[in-house]
Amino acid sequence: MNLLFLGTSAGVPTKTRNVTGIALRESKGKGWYLVDCGEGTQHQVLHTKLSFHSLKAILITHVHGDHCYGLPGILASAAMGGRKEALTIVAPAGIKAWLEATFEATQLCLPFELQFICADELPSVEFTNMLVATFGLSHGVASYAYAFTERKVDAELNVEKLVQKGVPRGPLWGQLKQGFDIEFEGEILKSHDYLFIKKPPRKVVIAGDNAQPELLGKACVEAQVLVHEATYTQEMAGKAGEVGHSYARRVAEFAESVALPNLVLTHFSPRYPLSSGATPSIEGFRAEAQSVYSGRLYLARDFLEFTLDKSGHFREVADE
Amino acid sequence: MNLLFLGTSAGVPTKTRNVTGIALRESKGKGWYLVDCGEGTQHQVLHTKLSFHSLKAILITHVHGDHCYGLPGILASAAMGGRKEALTIVAPAGIKAWLEATFEATQLCLPFELQFICADELPSVEFTNMLVATFGLSHGVASYAYAFTERKVDAELNVEKLVQKGVPRGPLWGQLKQGFDIEFEGEILKSHDYLFIKKPPRKVVIAGDNAQPELLGKACVEAQVLVHEATYTQEMAGKAGEVGHSYARRVAEFAESVALPNLVLTHFSPRYPLSSGATPSIEGFRAEAQSVYSGRLYLARDFLEFTLDKSGHFREVADE
């Protein structure tokens, strides 16, 4: 599984950081998911190897423009690029209404179906290779985190338990092994109840804007990586008097409290220039978070890519 | 007056060309007008000296996404940048409805007023230094051209005619001299009827998508510059079977027929790479247009800037 940051600025784009967009790529094949789609996300995609044809879903964390104003354009470009396959959109209800108004006002008729799933109902969404769970956050508007768990896990069937339950050897066993729940004699059998899991599946949590990281306790169970906004440092948060966002220390304290192995901070206020020599320095975020967090800490920047390998090891992908 | 191209691609952005956005700067001060605002226009502005504080108006030629999807983001960024002054938007009615739906869905509350002028009524809009006239074009949806004429012209009052008319010497004379029409004894007196104009005012026509350049005959009277889309070459237009856009030869023939001194072609299909060595080459547009046009021909590219001086001379601004 790879994480590729397409935009890491809060509110407005800067010369070096676009507004929010995060690509999560499946470990096999070219399938990918886009979390948030600020204006210009499609322009960023042009500078990567990602293709609109292999995009599985777009998930929007909340309705603020710096997280969704790129949505009409990316859909229009996918259409002009010849996409025919249905596309899943997981987003708050307001996004659906807005897209419909946009299609009508700008006479955009997509040649592919949009399968809209309402985030407000905190859905669990099953893709072929990925399970996505939704968790509520705290922001001025409804905001969500999406937890991506790989479905095809490294596991052996618990044959003894299956025989005892009377499940016949065959396709049902295969489905359970691949991580799919099955229905058997009117009962739902959960895949994970019939598997010896050798290694925990890869799991990445990507959160939207959020003033209360502690709301992510359940989402982060068995996650190797949390991506969370840190719009401010603690000092700047105090001065800004802003209540809808987190600051670096607050997020790091939460990550430490749940023993999260990897934390990526992003969505930095545009007041913080990219270069480490500038004032106020982006490195202030690192120092503040590291003072309370003993896991591996990363500060996102545009086009920074990470890989999470099978054994749960997370690292930056070197520039090619 | 300066023209700065912020986006010159048709339909979708490419790595080297953004979708449509054209800045027209007043000859004095920092005031500027934005014609069309495709997605990512605000990102392009970041790489220029233009400021959202000195933006006088945004004029949208038609509702297609590649001409307007950057509008919500640029307004949000102007707001976050502290703009308080009212902003004029000249656009088809659909844009007003879409902006209202966008503001509601994404909870965007602007700290400045939008003064919406409906392009469908073919308005003449008076700004302090500029007169903008609207002309209808031919496209799949209602599409418009905007003709920008400088108001402060190099002129002398026709004193004899004013005295004959009985207009008292004073502020009314001043207004007429500055290019403003006045009301006198229940009658509208047109400024240009009471002036000896030494040099024709600078005039630039910027057209939206348009399959029939000849519709611009009236708009181009006394214009020094026409900016018009040439999405295709003639050969490509035939293959594409597309009927809403122009091709290079067609626009150039029109420009020749009205003896237009300067023609800038833009809005090129993304099939044409920027580099002159590539195939199909953008230079095909030049050859095709030059075969029928004897004026000065320019092919736009992103960040190309032109200046139109007082004497009507139009030229590229050298890169700094």
Side-chain angles (χ1 to χ4, degrees), chain B residues 31-49:
Chain B
W32 62 290
Y33 304 81
L34 176 62
V35 178
D36 282 336
C37 187
E39 181 183 355
T41 297
Q42 65 162 319
H43 300 66
Q44 300 288 85
V45 169
L46 287 176
H47 295 277
T48 71
K49 291 177 182 167

Side-chain angles (χ1 to χ4, degrees), chain B residues 188-202:
Chain B
I188 299 295
L189 305 188
K190 295 273 184 191
S191 167
H192 61 78
D193 289 338
Y194 293 85
L195 293 176
F196 294 118
I197 293 175
K198 292 187 196 165
K199 289 189 196 108
R202 285 176 268 200

Side-chain angles (χ1 to χ4, degrees), chain A residues 8-13 17-20 66-67 209 231 245 267-270, chain B residues 80:
Chain A
T8 58
S9 178
V12 299
R17 294 180 183 269
N18 195 29
V19 283
T20 304
D66 57 325
H67 295 256
D209 290 5
T231 308
H245 292 103
H267 194 270
F268 303 112
S269 162
Chain B
M80 291 186 77

Side-chain angles (χ1 to χ4, degrees), chain B residues 221-281:
Chain B
V221 170
E222 296 197 332
Q224 290 92 5
V225 184
L226 169 64
V227 177
H228 199 288
E229 57 108 342
T231 308
Y232 305 110
T233 56
Q234 187 167 15
E235 183 191 356
M236 183 63 86
K239 283 184 192 165
E242 225 267 12
V243 292
H245 292 104
S246 281
Y247 49 87
R249 186 189 178 96
R250 181 112 201 241
V251 184
E253 280 173 344
F254 163 73
E256 182 68 17
S257 76
V258 295
L260 200 99
N262 300 283
L263 173 64
V264 188
L265 299 180
T266 186
H267 195 271
F268 303 112
S269 162
R271 292 174 223 198
Y272 297 91
L274 181 69
S275 59
S276 56
T279 310
S281 166

Side-chain angles (χ1 to χ4, degrees), chain A residues 291-313:
Chain A
S291 73
V292 295
Y293 178 58
S294 59
R296 290 164 68 121
L297 175 77
Y298 305 86
L299 305 186
R301 58 178 190 272
D302 286 23
F303 300 113
L304 187 59
E305 185 170 5
F306 297 93
T307 189
L308 176 62
D309 72 19
K310 240 180 170 174
S311 59
H313 183 65

Side-chain angles (χ1 to χ4, degrees), chain B residues 163-203:
Chain B
V163 169
Q164 201 175 352
K165 189 78 186 172
V167 182
R169 191 179 292 266
L172 290 178
W173 286 32
Q175 285 174 47
L176 287 170
K177 178 141 197 258
Q178 282 170 55
F180 293 90
D181 301 337
I182 61 163
E183 196 179 329
F184 177 66
E185 294 181 349
E187 189 183 353
I188 299 295
L189 305 188
K190 295 273 184 191
S191 167
H192 61 78
D193 289 338
Y194 293 85
L195 293 176
F196 294 118
I197 293 175
K198 292 187 196 165
K199 289 189 196 108
R202 285 176 268 200
K203 181 175 178 187

